[in-house]
Structures are given as structure tokens and as C-alpha cells.
């Protein structure tokens, strides 16, 4: 990831870009899969969750990704995604966003089967955004996990084959 900063970076652009991450977290944490995805992402978008799921990066239509999110977060009774340390680079109508993340996901006790019910992911996001007629939207999302607890619980969130 290369960060390039415009001289006199627009503070409103930076705030709007950081707000995208908050809305991104709200999609899962509020389980709001109807309006928020279109306010956060381009269509299509590129996703890279390989460090967590083992699945290679992929480009996907937004509607398909929204349904994947809906299914992936359905088993969890609660999730909490906290972003810190935002580093934003803007080059014209493109932006890079690096942020640290702590994401916690709680399963109902019956799905935890007597074991731990919290899956923790710690790491960082390296995302890219593009300025559209409707404002900034994420078009590339990459999560790099640096630590996980109870990673076996991700199986509850992945669709069965």
C-alpha cells in the first residue's frame, strides 16, 4: 500500500472516509444489510479476507456480498468492530485507508457447545475508496489478521458446502 497525500488534504474528505469505516462496522454490528451496504461500497467491489477465511481475494457484485454478510453474521448474537489509528491518504478521487481493528463476535451458548462463545480477530484493514457522485465508497477491502482467539468459531459464520 502506498500512501500519497495531497497538499491541503480536505478535512471533510478525510472525515467522510473515516465515517465509511464506522458505517462498515454498523453493517455487521447493527445487522443492517438493507441500506448501509449501498452507502459504504461500490458495485462491484474487491474483497480480501484470506488471512481469516483462507479464501483468496475476489471481486463480487454488491448484492451478492450483502447476502454473504447477512448469512455470515446471522449466527452471532452480537458483534463489535472497533477501528483506531486511521491513516488516510488521498490522491484526487482515490483514497487509501489503513486502520487497526478489534472485532469480537459472540455466538449463542448452544452453538458454542459448552466451549468459548467469543471469536476475537485483531489486525488491520488496508482499504481503498473512490469518490463517486454519491460520495466516497469503499471499492477494495482487505483485512489482515495478526491475532485470533477461538478461530474455530469462524466455522459458524461460513456457509456450509
Amino acid at each position: 500500500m502506498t500512501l500519497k497525500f495531497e497538499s491541503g488534504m480536505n478535512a471533510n474528505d478525510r472525515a467522510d472516509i473515516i465515517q465509511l469505516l464506522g458505517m462498515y462496522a454498523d453493517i455487521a454490528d447493527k445487522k443492517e444489510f438493507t441500506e448501509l451496504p449501498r452507502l459504504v461500497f461500490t458495485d462491484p467491489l474487491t474483497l480480501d479476507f484470506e488471512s481469516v477465511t483462507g479464501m483468496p481475494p475476489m471481486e463480487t457484485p454488491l448484492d451478492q456480498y450483502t447476502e454473504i454478510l447477512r448469512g455470515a453474521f446471522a449466527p452471532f448474537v452480537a458483534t463489535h468492530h472497533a477501528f483506531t489509528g486511521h491513516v488516510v491518504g488521498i490522491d484526487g478521487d482515490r483514497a487509501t485507508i489503513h486502520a487497526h481493528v478489534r472485532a469480537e463476535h459472540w455466538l449463542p451458548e448452544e452453538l458454542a457447545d459448552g466451549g468459548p462463545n467469543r471469536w476475537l480477530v485483531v489486525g488491520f484493514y488496508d482499504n481503498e475508496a473512490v469518490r463517486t457522485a454519491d460520495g466516497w465508497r469503499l471499492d477494495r477491502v482487505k483485512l489482515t489478521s495478526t491475532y485470533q482467539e477461538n478461530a474455530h468459531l469462524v466455522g459458524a459464520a461460513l456457509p456450509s458446502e
Side-chain angles (χ1 to χ4, degrees):
M1 176 180 76
T2 303
L3 294 177
K4 182 176 179 183
F5 297 93
E6 289 181 340
S7 58
M9 180 190 304
N10 183 324
N12 289 332
D13 283 339
R14 184 178 191 287
D16 290 346
I17 291 165
I18 290 172
Q19 183 170 330
L20 276 177
L21 290 184
M23 293 188 316
Y24 173 66
D26 280 347
I27 293 170
D29 295 348
K30 292 182 172 183
K31 293 189 178 191
E32 203 296 277
F33 305 107
T34 305
E35 294 179 21
L36 276 178
R38 296 214 176 281
L39 298 175
V40 173
F41 301 113
T42 60
D43 186 10
L45 69 148
T46 300
L47 305 167
D48 184 350
F49 297 115
E50 188 170 12
S51 72
V52 174
T53 66
M55 296 167 55
M58 65 178 169
E59 183 175 279
T60 184
L62 179 56
D63 288 341
Q64 182 178 342
Y65 179 52
T66 300
E67 289 311 306
I68 291 169
L69 283 174
R70 186 186 311 274
F73 285 95
F76 297 105
V77 293
T79 61
H80 181 77
H81 294 74
F83 295 101
T84 62
H86 303 89
V87 178
V88 176
I90 298 176
D91 186 7
D93 290 335
R94 300 274 323 154
T96 56
I97 311 104
H98 174 83
H100 297 260
V101 62
R102 179 183 176 100
E104 299 182 76
H105 313 76
W106 290 270
L107 284 172
E109 296 298 329
E110 59 272 13
L111 286 180
D113 197 27
N117 74 331
R118 183 191 62 134
W119 169 39
L120 170 68
V121 179
V122 175
F124 51 89
Y125 275 94
D126 285 300
N127 298 338
E128 295 179 24
V130 61
R131 187 190 321 262
T132 72
D134 296 318
W136 289 97
R137 299 292 187 268
L138 296 174
D139 66 344
R140 299 182 67 83
V141 175
K142 180 179 180 180
L143 170 62
T144 301
S145 170
T146 56
Y147 176 77
Q148 293 188 59
E149 287 178 3
N150 304 313
H152 66 282
L153 296 177
V154 73
L158 293 177
S160 56
E161 299 188 54

